[in-house]
Coordinates of all heavy atoms in Angstrom, one line a residue:
M1 N -26.6 -36.4 -3.0 CA -26.1 -35.2 -2.4 C -25.9 -35.5 -0.9 O -26.8 -36.1 -0.3 CB -27.0 -34.0 -2.6 CG -26.5 -32.8 -1.9 SD -27.5 -31.4 -2.4 CE -28.4 -31.1 -1.0
R2 N -24.9 -35.1 -0.3 CA -24.6 -35.3 1.1 C -25.2 -34.2 1.9 O -25.1 -33.0 1.5 CB -23.2 -35.5 1.4 CG -22.6 -36.7 0.8 CD -21.2 -36.9 1.3 NE -20.6 -38.1 0.8 CZ -20.7 -39.3 1.4 NH1 -21.2 -39.4 2.6 NH2 -20.1 -40.4 0.9
T3 N -25.8 -34.5 3.1 CA -26.3 -33.5 4.0 C -25.9 -33.9 5.4 O -26.0 -35.1 5.8 CB -27.9 -33.5 3.9 OG1 -28.2 -33.2 2.6 CG2 -28.5 -32.5 4.8
I4 N -25.6 -33.0 6.2 CA -25.3 -33.2 7.6 C -26.5 -32.8 8.5 O -27.0 -31.7 8.3 CB -24.0 -32.4 8.1 CG1 -22.8 -32.8 7.3 CG2 -23.8 -32.5 9.6 CD1 -21.6 -32.0 7.5
V5 N -26.9 -33.7 9.3 CA -28.0 -33.5 10.2 C -27.6 -33.9 11.6 O -27.1 -34.9 11.9 CB -29.2 -34.4 9.8 CG1 -30.4 -34.2 10.7 CG2 -29.6 -34.1 8.4
D6 N -27.9 -33.0 12.5 CA -27.6 -33.2 14.0 C -28.9 -33.8 14.6 O -30.0 -33.2 14.5 CB -27.3 -31.9 14.7 CG -25.9 -31.4 14.3 OD1 -25.0 -32.2 14.0 OD2 -25.8 -30.1 14.2
L7 N -28.7 -35.0 15.2 CA -29.8 -35.6 15.9 C -29.5 -35.9 17.4 O -28.3 -36.1 17.7 CB -30.1 -37.0 15.3 CG -30.5 -37.0 13.8 CD1 -30.6 -38.4 13.3 CD2 -31.8 -36.3 13.6
P8 N -30.5 -35.8 18.2 CA -30.2 -36.1 19.6 C -29.8 -37.6 19.8 O -30.2 -38.5 19.0 CB -31.5 -35.8 20.4 CG -32.5 -35.4 19.3 CD -31.8 -35.4 18.0
E9 N -29.2 -37.9 20.8 CA -28.7 -39.3 21.1 C -29.8 -40.3 21.1 O -29.6 -41.4 20.5 CB -27.9 -39.4 22.4 CG -26.6 -38.7 22.4 CD -25.6 -39.3 21.5 OE1 -25.6 -40.5 21.3 OE2 -24.8 -38.5 20.9
E10 N -31.0 -40.0 21.6 CA -32.0 -41.0 21.6 C -32.6 -41.3 20.2 O -33.0 -42.4 20.0 CB -33.2 -40.6 22.6 CG -33.9 -39.3 22.2 CD -33.3 -38.0 22.8 OE1 -32.2 -38.1 23.4 OE2 -33.9 -37.0 22.6
Q11 N -32.5 -40.3 19.4 CA -33.0 -40.6 18.0 C -31.9 -41.4 17.2 O -32.3 -42.3 16.4 CB -33.2 -39.3 17.2 CG -34.5 -38.6 17.7 CD -34.8 -37.3 16.9 OE1 -33.9 -36.8 16.2 NE2 -36.0 -36.8 17.1
I12 N -30.7 -41.1 17.5 CA -29.6 -41.9 16.9 C -29.7 -43.4 17.3 O -29.6 -44.3 16.5 CB -28.2 -41.3 17.2 CG1 -28.1 -40.0 16.5 CG2 -27.1 -42.3 16.8 CD1 -26.8 -39.2 16.8
A13 N -29.9 -43.6 18.6 CA -30.1 -45.0 19.1 C -31.3 -45.7 18.5 O -31.2 -46.8 18.1 CB -30.2 -44.9 20.7
G14 N -32.4 -44.9 18.4 CA -33.6 -45.5 17.8 C -33.4 -45.8 16.4 O -33.8 -46.9 15.8
L15 N -32.7 -44.9 15.7 CA -32.4 -45.1 14.3 C -31.5 -46.4 14.1 O -31.7 -47.2 13.2 CB -31.7 -43.9 13.7 CG -31.4 -43.8 12.2 CD1 -32.7 -44.0 11.4 CD2 -30.8 -42.5 11.8
A16 N -30.5 -46.5 15.0 CA -29.6 -47.7 14.9 C -30.4 -49.0 15.1 O -30.2 -49.9 14.3 CB -28.5 -47.5 15.9
D17 N -31.3 -49.0 16.0 CA -32.1 -50.2 16.2 C -33.0 -50.5 15.0 O -33.1 -51.6 14.6 CB -33.0 -50.0 17.5 CG -32.3 -50.0 18.8 OD1 -31.1 -50.4 18.8 OD2 -32.8 -49.5 19.8
L18 N -33.6 -49.5 14.5 CA -34.4 -49.6 13.3 C -33.6 -50.2 12.1 O -34.0 -51.1 11.4 CB -35.1 -48.3 12.9 CG -36.0 -48.4 11.7 CD1 -37.2 -49.2 11.9 CD2 -36.3 -47.0 11.2
C19 N -32.4 -49.6 11.9 CA -31.6 -50.0 10.8 C -31.2 -51.5 10.9 O -31.1 -52.2 10.0 CB -30.4 -49.1 10.7 SG -30.8 -47.4 10.1
Q20 N -30.9 -51.9 12.2 CA -30.5 -53.3 12.4 C -31.7 -54.2 12.1 O -31.6 -55.2 11.5 CB -30.0 -53.4 13.8 CG -29.5 -54.8 14.1 CD -28.9 -54.9 15.5 OE1 -29.2 -54.1 16.4 NE2 -28.1 -55.9 15.8
Q21 N -32.9 -53.8 12.6 CA -34.1 -54.7 12.4 C -34.4 -54.8 10.9 O -34.8 -55.8 10.4 CB -35.3 -54.1 13.1 CG -35.2 -54.2 14.6 CD -36.3 -53.4 15.3 OE1 -37.2 -52.9 14.6 NE2 -36.3 -53.3 16.6
E22 N -34.3 -53.6 10.2 CA -34.7 -53.6 8.8 C -33.6 -54.0 7.8 O -33.8 -54.2 6.6 CB -35.1 -52.2 8.4 CG -36.3 -51.6 9.1 CD -37.6 -52.2 8.6 OE1 -37.7 -52.4 7.3 OE2 -38.6 -52.4 9.4
R23 N -32.4 -54.2 8.4 CA -31.2 -54.5 7.7 C -30.9 -53.5 6.5 O -30.7 -53.9 5.4 CB -31.3 -55.9 7.1 CG -31.3 -57.0 8.3 CD -31.4 -58.3 7.8 NE -31.5 -59.2 8.9 CZ -31.3 -60.5 8.9 NH1 -30.8 -61.1 7.8 NH2 -31.4 -61.2 10.0
I24 N -31.0 -52.3 6.9 CA -30.7 -51.2 5.9 C -29.7 -50.2 6.5 O -29.5 -50.2 7.8 CB -32.0 -50.4 5.6 CG1 -32.6 -49.8 6.8 CG2 -33.0 -51.3 4.8 CD1 -33.8 -48.9 6.5
S25 N -29.1 -49.4 5.7 CA -28.1 -48.5 6.2 C -28.8 -47.3 6.8 O -30.0 -47.1 6.6 CB -27.3 -47.9 5.0 OG -28.0 -47.2 4.1
R26 N -28.1 -46.5 7.6 CA -28.6 -45.3 8.2 C -29.1 -44.3 7.1 O -30.1 -43.7 7.2 CB -27.6 -44.7 9.1 CG -28.2 -43.5 9.9 CD -27.2 -42.8 10.7 NE -26.6 -43.7 11.7 CZ -25.7 -43.4 12.6 NH1 -25.1 -42.2 12.6 NH2 -25.2 -44.3 13.4
A27 N -28.3 -44.2 6.1 CA -28.6 -43.3 5.0 C -30.0 -43.7 4.3 O -30.8 -42.9 4.0 CB -27.5 -43.3 3.9
E28 N -30.2 -45.0 4.1 CA -31.4 -45.5 3.5 C -32.6 -45.2 4.4 O -33.7 -44.8 4.0 CB -31.3 -47.0 3.2 CG -32.6 -47.6 2.6 CD -33.0 -47.0 1.3 OE1 -32.2 -46.4 0.6 OE2 -34.2 -47.1 1.0
A29 N -32.4 -45.4 5.7 CA -33.5 -45.1 6.7 C -33.9 -43.6 6.6 O -35.0 -43.3 6.7 CB -33.1 -45.5 8.1
V30 N -32.9 -42.8 6.6 CA -33.1 -41.3 6.5 C -33.8 -41.0 5.2 O -34.8 -40.2 5.2 CB -31.8 -40.5 6.7 CG1 -32.0 -39.0 6.4 CG2 -31.3 -40.7 8.1
R31 N -33.4 -41.5 4.1 CA -34.0 -41.3 2.8 C -35.5 -41.7 2.8 O -36.4 -40.9 2.4 CB -33.3 -42.1 1.7 CG -32.0 -41.4 1.2 CD -31.5 -42.0 -0.1 NE -31.1 -43.4 0.1 CZ -29.8 -43.8 0.4 NH1 -28.9 -42.8 0.6 NH2 -29.5 -45.0 0.6
R32 N -35.8 -42.8 3.4 CA -37.2 -43.3 3.5 C -38.0 -42.4 4.4 O -39.1 -42.1 4.1 CB -37.2 -44.7 4.1 CG -36.7 -45.8 3.1 CD -36.8 -47.1 3.7 NE -36.2 -48.2 2.9 CZ -36.1 -49.4 3.2 NH1 -36.7 -49.9 4.3 NH2 -35.6 -50.3 2.3
A33 N -37.4 -41.9 5.5 CA -38.1 -41.0 6.4 C -38.4 -39.7 5.8 O -39.5 -39.2 5.9 CB -37.3 -40.8 7.7
V34 N -37.5 -39.2 5.0 CA -37.7 -37.9 4.3 C -38.8 -38.1 3.2 O -39.7 -37.2 3.1 CB -36.4 -37.4 3.7 CG1 -36.6 -36.2 2.8 CG2 -35.4 -36.9 4.9
A35 N -38.7 -39.2 2.5 CA -39.7 -39.4 1.5 C -41.1 -39.5 2.1 O -42.1 -39.0 1.5 CB -39.4 -40.7 0.7
D36 N -41.2 -40.3 3.2 CA -42.5 -40.4 3.9 C -43.0 -39.0 4.4 O -44.2 -38.7 4.3 CB -42.4 -41.4 5.0 CG -42.3 -42.8 4.5 OD1 -42.6 -43.1 3.3 OD2 -42.0 -43.7 5.4
Y37 N -42.1 -38.3 4.9 CA -42.5 -36.9 5.4 C -43.0 -36.0 4.3 O -44.0 -35.4 4.5 CB -41.3 -36.3 6.1 CG -41.6 -35.0 6.7 CD1 -42.2 -34.9 8.0 CD2 -41.2 -33.8 6.1 CE1 -42.4 -33.6 8.5 CE2 -41.5 -32.6 6.6 CZ -42.1 -32.5 7.9 OH -42.4 -31.2 8.4
L38 N -42.3 -36.0 3.2 CA -42.7 -35.2 2.1 C -44.0 -35.6 1.5 O -44.8 -34.8 1.2 CB -41.6 -35.2 1.0 CG -40.3 -34.5 1.4 CD1 -39.3 -34.6 0.3 CD2 -40.5 -33.0 1.7
K39 N -44.2 -36.9 1.4 CA -45.4 -37.4 0.9 C -46.6 -37.0 1.8 O -47.7 -36.6 1.3 CB -45.4 -38.9 0.8 CG -46.6 -39.6 0.2 CD -46.6 -41.1 0.3 CE -45.8 -41.7 -0.9 NZ -46.0 -43.2 -0.9
A40 N -46.4 -37.1 3.1 CA -47.5 -36.7 4.0 C -47.8 -35.2 4.1 O -48.9 -34.8 4.3 CB -47.1 -37.2 5.4
R41 N -46.7 -34.4 3.9 CA -46.9 -33.0 4.1 C -47.1 -32.2 2.8 O -47.7 -31.1 2.8 CB -45.6 -32.4 4.7 CG -45.4 -32.8 6.1 CD -46.4 -32.2 7.0 NE -46.1 -32.5 8.4 CZ -46.1 -31.6 9.3 NH1 -46.5 -30.4 9.1 NH2 -45.8 -31.9 10.6
H42 N -46.6 -32.7 1.7 CA -46.6 -32.0 0.4 C -47.9 -32.3 -0.3 O -48.1 -33.4 -0.7 CB -45.4 -32.3 -0.4 CG -45.2 -31.5 -1.7 ND1 -45.3 -30.2 -1.7 CD2 -45.1 -32.0 -2.9 CE1 -45.2 -29.8 -3.0 NE2 -45.0 -30.8 -3.7
T43 N -48.7 -31.3 -0.6 CA -49.9 -31.5 -1.4 C -49.6 -31.2 -2.8 O -48.9 -30.3 -3.2 CB -51.0 -30.6 -0.9 OG1 -50.6 -29.2 -1.1 CG2 -51.4 -30.8 0.5
T44 N -50.1 -32.0 -3.7 CA -50.0 -31.8 -5.1 C -51.0 -30.8 -5.5 O -52.0 -30.5 -4.8 CB -50.2 -33.1 -5.9 OG1 -51.5 -33.6 -5.7 CG2 -49.2 -34.2 -5.4
E45 N -50.9 -30.3 -6.7 CA -51.9 -29.4 -7.2 C -53.3 -30.0 -7.2 O -54.2 -29.4 -6.7 CB -51.5 -28.9 -8.6 CG -52.5 -27.9 -9.1 CD -52.0 -27.4 -10.5 OE1 -50.8 -27.1 -10.7 OE2 -52.9 -27.2 -11.4
R46 N -53.4 -31.2 -7.6 CA -54.7 -31.9 -7.6 C -55.2 -32.1 -6.2 O -56.4 -31.9 -5.9 CB -54.5 -33.3 -8.3 CG -55.8 -34.1 -8.3 CD -55.7 -35.4 -9.1 NE -57.0 -36.1 -9.0 CZ -57.1 -37.3 -8.7 NH1 -56.1 -38.0 -8.4 NH2 -58.3 -37.9 -8.6
G47 N -54.3 -32.5 -5.3 CA -54.7 -32.7 -3.9 C -55.2 -31.5 -3.2 O -56.1 -31.5 -2.4
S48 N -54.7 -30.3 -3.6 CA -55.2 -29.1 -3.0 C -56.5 -28.6 -3.4 O -57.2 -27.9 -2.8 CB -54.1 -28.0 -3.2 OG -54.0 -27.7 -4.6
F49 N -57.0 -29.1 -4.6 CA -58.3 -28.7 -5.2 C -59.3 -29.8 -5.1 O -60.5 -29.6 -5.1 CB -58.1 -28.3 -6.6 CG -57.3 -27.1 -6.8 CD1 -56.1 -27.2 -7.4 CD2 -57.7 -25.9 -6.3 CE1 -55.3 -26.1 -7.6 CE2 -56.9 -24.8 -6.5 CZ -55.7 -24.9 -7.1
F50 N -58.9 -31.0 -4.9 CA -59.8 -32.2 -4.9 C -60.8 -32.0 -3.7 O -60.4 -31.8 -2.6 CB -59.0 -33.5 -4.8 CG -59.9 -34.7 -4.9 CD1 -60.4 -35.1 -6.1 CD2 -60.2 -35.4 -3.7 CE1 -61.2 -36.2 -6.2 CE2 -61.0 -36.5 -3.8 CZ -61.5 -36.9 -5.1
G51 N -62.1 -32.1 -4.1 CA -63.1 -32.0 -3.0 C -63.5 -30.6 -2.6 O -64.3 -30.5 -1.7
M52 N -63.1 -29.6 -3.3 CA -63.3 -28.3 -2.9 C -64.8 -27.9 -3.0 O -65.3 -26.9 -2.3 CB -62.5 -27.3 -3.6 CG -62.7 -27.1 -5.1 SD -61.6 -26.0 -5.9 CE -61.9 -24.4 -5.1
W53 N -65.6 -28.6 -3.8 CA -67.0 -28.3 -4.0 C -67.9 -29.2 -3.0 O -69.1 -29.0 -3.0 CB -67.4 -28.5 -5.4 CG -67.0 -27.4 -6.3 CD1 -65.8 -27.4 -7.0 CD2 -67.6 -26.2 -6.5 NE1 -65.7 -26.2 -7.6 CE2 -66.8 -25.4 -7.4 CE3 -68.9 -25.7 -6.1 CZ2 -67.2 -24.2 -7.8 CZ3 -69.2 -24.4 -6.6 CH2 -68.4 -23.7 -7.4
R54 N -67.3 -30.0 -2.2 CA -68.0 -31.0 -1.4 C -69.1 -30.3 -0.5 O -70.2 -30.8 -0.4 CB -67.0 -31.7 -0.6 CG -67.6 -32.7 0.4 CD -66.5 -33.5 1.2 NE -65.4 -32.7 1.6 CZ -64.2 -32.9 1.3 NH1 -63.8 -34.0 0.5 NH2 -63.2 -32.1 1.7
N55 N -68.8 -29.2 0.1 CA -69.7 -28.6 1.1 C -70.4 -27.3 0.5 O -70.9 -26.6 1.3 CB -69.0 -28.3 2.4 CG -68.4 -29.5 3.0 OD1 -69.1 -30.5 3.0 ND2 -67.2 -29.4 3.6
R56 N -70.4 -27.1 -0.7 CA -71.0 -25.9 -1.3 C -72.5 -26.0 -1.6 O -73.1 -25.0 -1.9 CB -70.2 -25.5 -2.6 CG -68.8 -25.2 -2.3 CD -68.3 -24.1 -3.1 NE -66.9 -23.9 -2.8 CZ -66.2 -22.9 -3.2 NH1 -66.8 -22.0 -4.0 NH2 -65.0 -22.7 -2.9
G57 N -73.0 -27.2 -1.6 CA -74.4 -27.3 -1.9 C -74.8 -27.2 -3.3 O -76.0 -27.1 -3.6
I58 N -73.9 -27.1 -4.2 CA -74.2 -27.0 -5.6 C -73.1 -27.9 -6.4 O -72.0 -27.9 -6.0 CB -74.2 -25.6 -6.2 CG1 -74.6 -25.6 -7.7 CG2 -72.9 -24.9 -6.0 CD1 -74.8 -24.2 -8.2
D59 N -73.6 -28.5 -7.4 CA -72.6 -29.3 -8.2 C -71.7 -28.4 -9.0 O -72.1 -27.4 -9.5 CB -73.4 -30.2 -9.1 CG -72.5 -31.1 -10.0 OD1 -71.9 -32.0 -9.4 OD2 -72.5 -30.8 -11.2
G60 N -70.4 -28.7 -9.0 CA -69.5 -27.9 -9.7 C -69.8 -27.7 -11.2 O -69.6 -26.6 -11.7
V61 N -70.2 -28.8 -11.8 CA -70.6 -28.7 -13.3 C -71.8 -27.8 -13.5 O -71.8 -27.0 -14.4 CB -70.8 -30.1 -13.8 CG1 -71.3 -30.0 -15.3 CG2 -69.5 -30.9 -13.7
D62 N -72.8 -27.9 -12.6 CA -74.0 -27.0 -12.7 C -73.6 -25.5 -12.5 O -74.1 -24.7 -13.2 CB -75.0 -27.4 -11.6 CG -75.7 -28.7 -11.9 OD1 -75.7 -29.2 -13.1 OD2 -76.3 -29.3 -11.0
Y63 N -72.7 -25.3 -11.6 CA -72.2 -23.9 -11.4 C -71.5 -23.4 -12.6 O -71.7 -22.3 -13.1 CB -71.3 -23.9 -10.2 CG -70.7 -22.5 -9.9 CD1 -71.5 -21.5 -9.3 CD2 -69.4 -22.3 -10.1 CE1 -71.0 -20.3 -9.0 CE2 -68.8 -21.0 -9.9 CZ -69.6 -20.0 -9.3 OH -69.1 -18.8 -9.0
Q64 N -70.7 -24.3 -13.2 CA -69.9 -23.9 -14.4 C -70.9 -23.6 -15.6 O -70.7 -22.6 -16.3 CB -69.0 -25.0 -14.8 CG -68.2 -24.8 -16.0 CD -67.3 -26.0 -16.4 OE1 -67.8 -27.1 -16.1 NE2 -66.2 -25.8 -16.9
R65 N -71.9 -24.4 -15.7 CA -72.9 -24.1 -16.8 C -73.7 -22.8 -16.5 O -74.0 -22.1 -17.5 CB -73.9 -25.3 -16.8 CG -73.3 -26.5 -17.4 CD -74.4 -27.6 -17.5 NE -73.8 -28.9 -18.0 CZ -73.9 -30.1 -17.5 NH1 -74.7 -30.2 -16.4 NH2 -73.3 -31.1 -18.0
T66 N -74.0 -22.5 -15.3 CA -74.6 -21.2 -14.9 C -73.8 -20.1 -15.4 O -74.3 -19.1 -15.9 CB -75.0 -21.2 -13.4 OG1 -75.8 -22.3 -13.1 CG2 -75.6 -19.9 -13.1
L67 N -72.5 -20.1 -15.1 CA -71.6 -19.1 -15.5 C -71.5 -18.9 -17.0 O -71.5 -17.8 -17.5 CB -70.2 -19.3 -14.9 CG -70.0 -19.2 -13.4 CD1 -68.6 -19.5 -13.0 CD2 -70.4 -17.8 -12.9
R68 N -71.4 -20.0 -17.7 CA -71.3 -20.0 -19.1 C -72.6 -19.5 -19.8 O -72.6 -18.9 -20.9 CB -70.9 -21.4 -19.7 CG -69.5 -21.7 -19.3 CD -69.0 -23.0 -19.9 NE -67.6 -23.2 -19.6 CZ -67.0 -24.3 -19.9 NH1 -67.6 -25.3 -20.5 NH2 -65.7 -24.4 -19.6
D69 N -73.8 -19.7 -19.1 CA -75.0 -19.2 -19.6 C -75.1 -17.7 -19.7 O -75.7 -17.1 -20.5 CB -76.2 -19.7 -18.8 CG -76.6 -21.2 -19.1 OD1 -76.1 -21.7 -20.1 OD2 -77.3 -21.8 -18.3
E70 N -74.3 -17.1 -18.8 CA -74.2 -15.6 -18.8 C -73.5 -15.1 -20.1 O -73.7 -13.9 -20.4 CB -73.4 -15.1 -17.6 CG -74.1 -15.4 -16.3 CD -73.2 -15.0 -15.1 OE1 -72.1 -14.6 -15.3 OE2 -73.7 -15.2 -14.0
W71 N -72.8 -15.9 -20.8 CA -72.1 -15.5 -22.0 C -73.0 -15.3 -23.2 O -72.6 -14.7 -24.2 CB -70.9 -16.4 -22.3 CG -69.9 -16.5 -21.3 CD1 -69.7 -15.7 -20.2 CD2 -68.9 -17.6 -21.2 NE1 -68.6 -16.2 -19.4 CE2 -68.1 -17.3 -20.0 CE3 -68.6 -18.7 -22.0 CZ2 -67.1 -18.1 -19.6 CZ3 -67.5 -19.4 -21.6 CH2 -66.7 -19.2 -20.4
R72 N -74.1 -15.9 -23.1 CA -75.0 -15.9 -24.3 C -75.8 -14.7 -24.4 O -76.2 -14.0 -23.6 CB -76.0 -17.1 -24.2 CG -75.2 -18.4 -24.4 CD -76.2 -19.6 -24.3 NE -75.4 -20.8 -24.2 CZ -75.8 -21.9 -23.8 NH1 -77.0 -22.1 -23.4 NH2 -75.0 -23.0 -23.8

């Protein structure tokens, strides 16, 4: 899919230098930049929950067992 993006001159010049060094097209450089940005910013479902019990002072499995003991 094509997308039009307006960039300031200094970013275009920097992008041109990078593309020449990497021997890639401008489109490829932008695709890589967007992929890196999304990877850094976008949390997966697992990533948003991973470690949530770290500072609670109780093991998550022990807490789960305590709750399930209430069902008996």
Side-chain angles (χ1 to χ4, degrees):
M1 181 169 106
R2 291 188 178 266
T3 302
I4 296 173
V5 179
D6 291 322
L7 298 173
E9 290 296 324
E10 62 272 4
Q11 287 182 350
I12 291 173
L15 185 59
D17 290 342
L18 177 70
C19 291
Q20 187 176 18
Q21 290 172 6
E22 298 283 325
R23 297 180 184 200
I24 59 173
S25 68
R26 186 182 300 179
E28 179 61 21
V30 171
R31 282 191 292 270
R32 291 179 185 183
V34 169
D36 288 346
Y37 181 82
L38 291 175
K39 183 188 275 186
R41 295 288 190 138
H42 183 53
T43 59
T44 63
E45 185 175 314
R46 179 177 179 230
S48 63
F49 297 112
F50 186 75
M52 67 184 295
W53 284 91
R54 177 178 40 238
N55 298 321
R56 297 213 179 191
I58 184 172
D59 180 69
V61 175
D62 290 339
Y63 179 75
Q64 182 182 32
R65 287 183 183 131
T66 301
L67 290 178
R68 288 184 178 173
D69 284 343
E70 294 175 358
W71 298 348
R72 294 182 190 158

